[in-house]
Amino acid sequence: MTNAKIRKKIFVLGGDGFCGWPTSLHLSGSGHEIIIIDNLSRRRIDEECGTNSLTPIQSIDIRLRAWEEVSGNRIRFYRIDIAEEYDQLLSAIREEKPDVIIHFAEQRSAPYSMKSPLLKRYTVNNNIKATHHVLCAIVESGLDIHLIHLGTMGVYGYGTAGIRIPEGYLDIEVKTENGDRVHQQILYPTNPGSIYHMTKSLDQLLFHYYNKNDRLRITDLHQGIVWGTNTPETQADERLINRFDYDGDYGTVLNRFLMQGAVGHPITVHGTGGQTRAFIHIQDTVRCLQLAVEHPPKLGERVLIMNQMTETLRVIELAQVVSRLTGSEIAYVPNPRKEAAENELHVDNSHFLSKGLVPVTLNDGLMLEVSEIAKKYAYRADLSKIPAMSTWTKEQRPGDVQFEYADYCI
Ligand code: NAD
Ligand code: USQ
């Protein structure tokens, strides 16, 4: 057992997904007892979209068997839809009595959430019910369980009035009627840019309420865009390989660019590429989760919000680096999203740094590693799935008020 010292029983909700799988292996390898709960909806969505992980991920049964063979550690699995099967979730919590629940189990793609009214409703229903069921079940179980949720940097929006985005709470000063000045800390005003990001903003309020009313211990991690695919544990055996999304709905920007460079596809920069976003490598995601498990908030403490990101980068800069590394040309495609042409982003991440995180930042070595994986499995790619087809703006009619994203930035 490493730094964790105390072996904890941990539920990983969404443990079959891109972040959840390597996190489960890492925590299991660190000596914790892991139980994955997942409804395998991400695999179903691949089928629905006619796409697949670039890497050949194995079934959950094969994955778990391989991990036991390789590491000697057993991870158990419950197939439960936590949004639709509340009683099964509650029974699992009552029977297993986990110390920690890590909640990754939400529909996480912004483009997918914007594709159609049906998928907007699916994303809201799935994500909000999933989060509320976990909170409600923890209270109903009567157990003291530390809930760790994967939120997103996108709840803040990506523009500020020149301030560094704080870790969840904003210091404000208001003037009362009798002229006194009162200081307060409030939840940073949310400014979601998609239905998906909006569900994470709503999650925040659920956490605030359950923390206040039921004294639940909650950590909410506002994570940036995850890139990379391997961790030491997923590399230990081919059957443990992590998923790699490259399609227009689920592929995230840097992994998409690296895959595009590897297969000789033009690099799809939206608009001018002026968007700045927060990033984190998958190896740091799993380390941050371990740090969050080891540093729970005290009972009665407010929701602990930590910004889980290590650097901010502009999309066009990423495209240029990938173009230099791979020789692929840059294609400026019309931006399918409603977002500012460009933005500045400064983010406070001192919580994780103070707990000992030594960030992995963008470097040619790690980017080439991703590129090599993409080349190795290029034969599995369906290039017709690369373009982003989901649009934010429906057709404009005469007289429609033009939405200016910048108007909504504080
Ligand atoms: P993913 O889609 O690969 O994994 C999510 C997993 O949750 C899937 O295995 C899916 O089957 C499962 N799931 C979804 N709804 C469920 C339900 N109702 N019941 C049970 N299981 C359910 O996504 P990911 O990239 O691993 O992201 C995990 C979490 O981290 C998400 O909440 C996402 O919002 C957050 N996040 C991801 C990124 C990123 O770049 N990937 C960045 C910031 C935050
Ligand atoms: N972009 C391109 N070209 C592409 C793909 C994306 O220019 O081919 C641009 C987008 O327009 C956007 C930026 O890159 O400006 C990021 O897009 P993304 O798809 O990489 O990231 P996003 O939709 O924000 O969502 C991802 C995860 C989500 C997580 C979020 C963290 O899918 O689960 O919450 O990153 S954050 O962005 O910090 O909110």
Side-chain angles (χ1 to χ4, degrees):
M1 176 118 257
T2 58
N3 211 10
K5 294 177 189 96
I6 305 162
R7 176 178 162 87
K8 294 186 176 173
K9 187 186 264 195
I10 304 173
F11 275 11
V12 182
L13 312 179
D16 186 49
F18 170 62
C19 298
W21 175 242
T23 300
S24 299
L25 298 188
H26 182 70
L27 293 174
S28 169
S30 307
H32 296 293
E33 180 180 351
I34 303 301
I35 297 169
I36 289 178
I37 295 183
D38 202 300
N39 66 349
L40 308 183
S41 55
R42 181 68 194 87
R43 293 176 187 251
R44 178 192 56 74
I45 291 173
D46 267 350
E47 283 171 27
E48 169 195 315
C49 297
T51 182
N52 209 341
S53 165
L54 185 65
T55 47
I57 53 170
Q58 298 300 311
S59 69
I60 186 75
D61 293 342
I62 294 178
R63 281 179 150 188
L64 297 180
R65 224 177 304 130
W67 177 243
E68 197 167 346
E69 276 171 40
V70 167
S71 71
N73 298 312
R74 180 155 177 250
I75 295 179
R76 285 181 292 140
F77 171 63
Y78 290 151
R79 184 167 181 169
I80 301 175
D81 184 329
I82 63 166
E84 302 299 335
E85 297 172 321
Y86 177 78
D87 292 343
Q88 286 91 324
L89 173 66
L90 178 62
S91 299
I93 292 175
R94 281 186 166 146
E95 274 166 35
E96 298 286 353
K97 300 184 176 44
D99 304 294
V100 180
I101 297 181
I102 304 179
H103 174 25
F104 290 102
E106 293 180 83
Q107 190 300 98
R108 72 106 174 123
S109 156
Y112 185 79
S113 78
M114 299 299 290
K115 262 181 129 163
S116 68
L118 180 73
L119 296 180
K120 288 178 185 177
R121 283 159 48 222
Y122 165 70
T123 302
V124 171
N125 290 342
N126 185 65
N127 293 4
I128 301 306
K129 280 167 82 178
T131 298
H132 187 247
H133 283 179
V134 178
L135 290 161
C136 194
I138 293 176
V139 174
E140 196 174 347
S141 75
L143 297 165
D144 175 17
I145 297 171
H146 173 203
L147 175 65
I148 301 175
H149 171 252
L150 270 291
T152 172
M153 285 298 303
V155 297
Y156 303 117
Y158 309 103
T160 67
I163 64 165
R164 185 172 289 272
I165 292 182
E167 305 208 64
Y169 299 95
L170 183 67
D171 284 318
I172 60 157
E173 190 182 84
V174 286
K175 209 166 156 190
T176 62
E177 279 179 10
N178 59 15
D180 292 342
R181 292 197 169 275
V182 179
H183 282 91
Q184 273 193 356
Q185 277 205 326
I186 58 167
L187 267 180
Y188 192 94
T190 64
N191 185 11
S194 72
I195 291 287
Y196 153 72
H197 286 98
M198 186 188 68
T199 64
K200 296 284 180 173
S201 298
L202 296 172
D203 283 348
Q204 278 203 122
L205 288 179
L206 293 173
F207 298 138
H208 179 73
Y209 174 77
Y210 273 92
N211 166 262
K212 185 183 66 166
N213 198 62
D214 300 282
R215 289 162 57 87
L216 293 197
R217 278 184 225 248
I218 302 171
T219 301
D220 196 7
L221 302 173
H222 289 188
Q223 186 169 237
I225 301 170
V226 183
W227 68 283
T229 179
N230 278 330
T231 61
E233 292 84 12
T234 63
Q235 273 174 305
D237 187 292
E238 177 81 11
R239 292 168 296 169
L240 299 174
I241 202 162
N242 198 15
R243 65 177 303 125
F244 188 127
D245 297 312
Y246 67 93
D247 60 286
D249 288 335
Y250 273 88
T252 51
V253 65
L254 181 49
N255 277 5
R256 262 166 75 73
F257 286 180
L258 287 163
M259 180 274 178
Q260 291 165 357
V263 300
H265 189 282
I267 297 167
T268 56
V269 169
H270 293 169
T272 59
Q275 273 285 318
T276 308
R277 295 291 179 105
F279 288 84
I280 183 165
H281 191 273
I282 187 75
Q283 290 176 10
D284 278 344
T285 290
V286 306
R287 290 188 193 116
C288 285
L289 263 305
Q290 184 172 1
L291 289 169
V293 165
E294 290 167 6
H295 296 87
K298 294 187 188 70
L299 201 61
E301 205 176 292
R302 71 178 179 185
V303 178
L304 173 60
I305 301 178
M306 301 196 274
N307 292 338
Q308 186 163 310
M309 51 71 69
T310 53
E311 58 193 327
T312 55
L313 299 156
R314 206 175 282 277
V315 167
I316 186 60
E317 288 162 5
L318 293 175
Q320 285 161 349
V321 175
V322 175
S323 175
R324 174 176 57 74
L325 279 179
T326 63
S328 269
E329 66 186 45
I330 295 175
Y332 293 90
V333 300
N335 195 341
R337 306 184 186 205
K338 266 188 188 174
E339 52 189 9
E342 53 183 62
N343 67 304
E344 297 294 330
L345 189 60
H346 304 285
V347 181
D348 183 1
N349 65 345
S350 42
H351 271 307
F352 273 120
L353 298 182
S354 70
K355 291 178 187 358
L357 180 71
V358 182
V360 166
T361 46
L362 198 70
N363 65 66
D364 286 6
L366 276 175
M367 281 192 292
L368 281 171
E369 188 189 307
V370 178
S371 180
E372 288 307 317
I373 290 166
K375 273 190 202 141
K376 180 171 176 189
Y377 297 109
Y379 69 92
R380 289 172 50 86
D382 176 350
L383 302 191
S384 73
K385 296 295 176 188
I386 289 182
M389 304 303 280
S390 174
T391 55
W392 266 233
T393 312
K394 306 307 164 203
E395 219 171 284
Q396 292 287 321
R397 293 174 306 249
D400 276 359
V401 177
Q402 286 293 319
F403 174 93
E404 280 296 333
Y405 186 86
D407 295 343
Y408 291 75
C409 298
I410 66 160

